[in-house]
Amino acid sequence: SLDHGPEHVLTAAAYYYMAKNFFKMRNIEAGLAFCRKIVEIWRTALEKKENGMLETLGEAQMVEGEEILTSIHETRKQLHGGSAVATADAGFTLGLIKMLNGRANEAEKLIEDALGVMQANLGSDDPKTVAA
């Protein structure tokens, strides 16, 4: 985080390894807290492409980001279920990165599913739903 700052997607990769270690130690809450931060960082970077953060990333880093978000999405599905807002948030963010990585069909399904969960749980006017 000293090189790029605590809110940079490159720092998010280090947060992921911290989360994995907390899960291994069975500290689920701490692991989920790191996952929440990772999704927040990636979603912000993907939604606000004008900040230039993604332009500094290579293909390998974008693929790594997709792998991390896939893992978090699966973890949230296991812990919270597919109809939880936290799972939908991770799915939406995963959909955004898949879109940028050239997998539009996979991305559309994730984003549509996330939108449905957010509308059902938060309503159509909630900022997260509107953003999706």
Side-chain angles (χ1 to χ4, degrees):
S1 74
L2 293 176
D3 290 338
H4 305 288
E7 303 293 323
H8 197 281
V9 293
L10 293 176
T11 304
Y15 294 158
Y16 176 67
Y17 296 108
M18 292 292 294
K20 283 178 60 171
N21 285 324
F22 278 115
F23 287 134
K24 284 178 186 175
M25 295 185 311
R26 303 200 190 297
N27 189 339
I28 304 301
E29 290 305 315
L32 288 173
F34 274 99
C35 289
R36 198 169 27 255
K37 186 63 177 173
I38 294 162
V39 171
E40 175 188 310
I41 289 169
W42 271 104
R43 185 170 179 168
T44 300
L46 292 162
E47 286 181 332
K48 299 178 180 177
K49 291 179 249 176
E50 71 275 0
N51 68 11
M53 187 183 308
L54 297 179
E55 294 170 9
T56 64
L57 301 181
E59 182 180 350
Q61 291 161 323
M62 290 296 289
V63 169
E64 179 185 42
E66 183 177 333
E67 290 171 355
I68 289 169
L69 290 169
T70 298
S71 176
I72 291 171
H73 185 238
E74 290 302 316
T75 299
R76 285 183 173 181
K77 270 201 274 190
Q78 290 173 356
L79 295 173
H80 301 300
S83 60
V85 173
T87 305
D89 192 33
F92 178 77
T93 307
L94 177 57
L96 293 177
I97 198 167
K98 280 184 177 285
M99 188 73 72
L100 281 177
N101 286 345
R103 286 189 275 299
N105 290 338
E106 295 173 42
E108 286 179 34
K109 170 116 176 68
L110 285 162
I111 291 169
E112 287 174 10
D113 290 350
L115 179 58
V117 169
M118 289 178 187
Q119 285 176 331
N121 288 287
L122 304 174
S124 297
D125 296 331
D126 186 271
K128 281 193 172 192
T129 305
V130 172

